[in-house]
Amino acid sequence: MASFSTLPNFRRPTLPSKIHSISHCFSRYPFAILSAPRTQVNVRGSNLRIRAIDAAQPYDYEAKINDRFEKRTKLKIAIVGFGNFGQFLAKTIVRQGHTVLVHSRSNYSDVARELGVVFFSDPDDLCEEHPEVILLCTSITSTESVLRSFPVQRLKRNTLFVDVLSVKEFPRNLFLQILPLEFDILCTHPMFGPESGKHGWGGLKFVYDKVRIGSEKSRTNRCDHFLNIFAQEGCVMVEMCCAEHDRHAAGSQFITHTIGRALSRFGLESTPINTKGYDTLLNLVENTEGDSFDLYYGLFMYNKNALEQLERLDMAFESLKKQLFGHLHDVLRNQLFENAEGLDAPEDKQIFTKLLPNGTAVKPTQRS
């Protein structure tokens, strides 16, 4: 191999020319050289050592990594039923950075624009956007008709369907019956609403049941990312099967609504001397009056445990009345008999006159 010294017209560069070459290299490839941990250049036996000094990079790696993480955890969610409760959930979902599409029979385009979501009047157009999650926020009574008419054939084949109804066995069975096997199913119930959750969701219960979630990592992650919407807000996450939920809800939520609506019809009003207990009843009336009768009817009609709870409530009220009236009866009896003891005839009181068969009076006899 020929050496530099043997090449024709080759002149060994002087020190200044070498330094000029190095500086020229810096100007052409600043990031490549400065980002190197250590570079050594031998100049006539001496070492010229260049060290990286945390030079600026052509882009922010940390921001790029964070952006990729955000994209992996953020979802495209379609809310079907954009009424009071759908709008209530959309505010928080949008604030967390998720993409929200909405559809409803009524025109809520102005409200959607204010919340920063996209409104679709046609469900086919909504499905063409291929949302990852379909969140049903319809009323209990209209859920079946909405689901049966929904163009699921336009969705991706593993789309996640979620409901937020106050009953759980009914939507679970409906999803399993109507949706193709490829679709994932998550039944949920936020145990709060626009009134009880207006100051935040922290400490409020969120019940869920992973009815059918595919085993692929992407599908389990998607389900977890959706649940994290509520966990991130401080909800108490309660995993519970749909049947168990309905048993508990019939004894709590349905009875709560029943008492609240009964007191509303009773005409409960505030007074100048309210006790804390009475204020609690007034708040109960206010909260239940904020919900539609359709919700209350759905709690009764679509939860098989509700009728039993209503009958138990009726029996308890009748038992309480009997106890009150029974105690009152005992008090009255005691008063009557105590007064009757003072009505006995004196010792010299004559016996009533007896009559003979012919009507002749017989002289009354004296007591011996």
Side-chain angles (χ1 to χ4, degrees):
M1 178 181 294
S3 65
F4 286 133
S5 59
T6 61
L7 293 176
N9 300 323
F10 177 82
R11 185 167 59 89
R12 185 183 299 275
T14 61
L15 178 60
S17 63
K18 287 188 176 183
I19 295 177
H20 174 74
S21 299
I22 294 173
S23 63
H24 179 66
C25 184
F26 280 155
S27 64
R28 292 184 61 189
Y29 308 103
F31 300 114
I33 295 177
L34 290 178
S35 62
R38 178 177 294 181
T39 304
Q40 292 183 357
V41 180
N42 189 3
V43 182
R44 288 188 178 180
S46 65
N47 291 333
L48 177 61
R49 187 172 296 175
I50 302 172
R51 298 179 182 274
I53 54 174
D54 195 19
Q57 300 299 310
Y59 52 84
D60 191 340
Y61 281 105
E62 185 177 350
K64 288 284 186 180
I65 294 173
N66 183 67
D67 184 58
R68 290 174 186 174
F69 176 77
E70 288 289 324
K71 288 181 179 179
R72 287 199 301 267
T73 58
K74 300 308 178 185
L75 300 170
K76 182 188 287 188
I77 301 173
I79 298 179
V80 178
F82 198 53
N84 191 29
F85 196 76
Q87 295 171 26
F88 168 67
L89 293 181
K91 293 176 183 177
T92 299
I93 297 174
V94 170
R95 178 171 51 79
Q96 291 189 9
H98 301 279
T99 301
V100 177
L101 319 172
V102 298
H103 162 71
S104 192
R105 290 176 297 181
S106 302
N107 187 357
Y108 289 109
S109 55
D110 292 339
V111 178
R113 193 178 304 110
E114 292 177 2
L115 295 179
V117 304
V118 183
F119 179 81
F120 292 87
S121 58
D122 191 329
D124 290 87
D125 293 338
L126 176 75
C127 293
E128 290 292 345
E129 295 294 323
H130 294 156
E132 299 168 86
V133 180
I134 300 292
L135 179 59
L136 287 183
C137 293
T138 57
S139 66
I140 300 175
T141 54
S142 64
T143 298
E144 182 171 3
S145 61
V146 170
L147 188 60
R148 289 190 181 278
S149 62
F150 198 73
V152 295
Q153 71 278 2
R154 295 184 179 274
L155 296 169
K156 290 184 177 181
R157 300 304 281 172
N158 65 353
T159 303
L160 172 62
F161 268 76
V162 185
D163 84 286
V164 288
L165 299 185
S166 298
V167 294
K168 292 273 66 73
E169 282 196 284
F170 168 67
R172 174 188 180 276
N173 296 336
L174 198 63
F175 281 165
L176 291 174
Q177 177 185 354
I178 296 176
L179 296 178
L181 293 175
E182 297 84 2
F183 285 81
D184 288 345
I185 299 172
L186 176 66
C187 289
T188 76
H189 182 198
M191 305 298 294
F192 51 89
E195 184 62 31
S196 56
K198 62 183 177 182
H199 299 303
W201 301 355
L204 302 177
K205 291 182 173 60
F206 182 86
V207 181
Y208 65 95
D209 184 8
K210 298 178 180 180
V211 177
R212 187 174 68 198
I213 304 297
S215 59
E216 292 89 342
K217 189 68 175 177
S218 59
R219 296 167 75 170
T220 57
N221 285 343
R222 178 179 59 189
C223 179
D224 292 339
H225 294 332
F226 178 83
L227 292 174
N228 191 55
I229 294 174
F230 300 89
Q232 187 174 328
E233 295 298 316
C235 290
V236 179
M237 308 299 288
V238 181
E239 186 169 8
M240 179 182 295
C241 72
C242 294
E244 184 180 0
H245 166 276
D246 282 3
R247 286 195 300 271
H248 292 305
S252 58
Q253 190 180 24
F254 174 69
I255 293 300
T256 299
H257 277 261
T258 300
I259 297 298
R261 290 183 176 275
L263 292 176
S264 175
R265 297 195 177 190
F266 176 76
L268 214 61
E269 296 180 352
S270 183
T271 72
I273 54 172
N274 287 0
T275 63
K276 289 185 177 180
Y278 192 74
D279 283 334
T280 301
L281 294 180
L282 291 174
N283 291 333
L284 173 61
V285 172
E286 182 182 357
N287 289 338
T288 52
E289 281 185 335
D291 295 318
S292 66
F293 183 80
D294 282 345
L295 170 62
Y296 178 59
Y297 177 73
L299 294 175
F300 172 75
M301 186 67 183
Y302 294 92
N303 188 337
K304 63 183 181 182
N305 305 283
L307 180 59
E308 177 187 352
Q309 295 299 321
L310 190 61
E311 291 175 344
R312 288 183 59 193
L313 180 63
D314 187 53
M315 291 172 59
F317 189 64
E318 288 297 326
S319 175
L320 187 60
K321 287 196 300 183
K322 289 180 180 179
Q323 184 178 1
L324 285 174
F325 295 151
H327 185 71
L328 177 62
H329 181 261
D330 291 340
V331 172
L332 291 175
R333 280 175 58 89
N334 290 336
Q335 291 178 351
L336 287 173
F337 282 101
E338 285 175 1
N339 294 335
E341 292 178 357
L343 298 177
D344 289 343
E347 293 296 324
D348 57 348
K349 187 175 181 180
Q350 295 182 347
I351 304 299
F352 290 111
T353 302
K354 295 182 180 180
L355 296 178
L356 295 173
N358 59 2
T360 304
V362 179
K363 185 179 179 179
T365 59
Q366 296 295 327
R367 284 189 177 183
S368 56

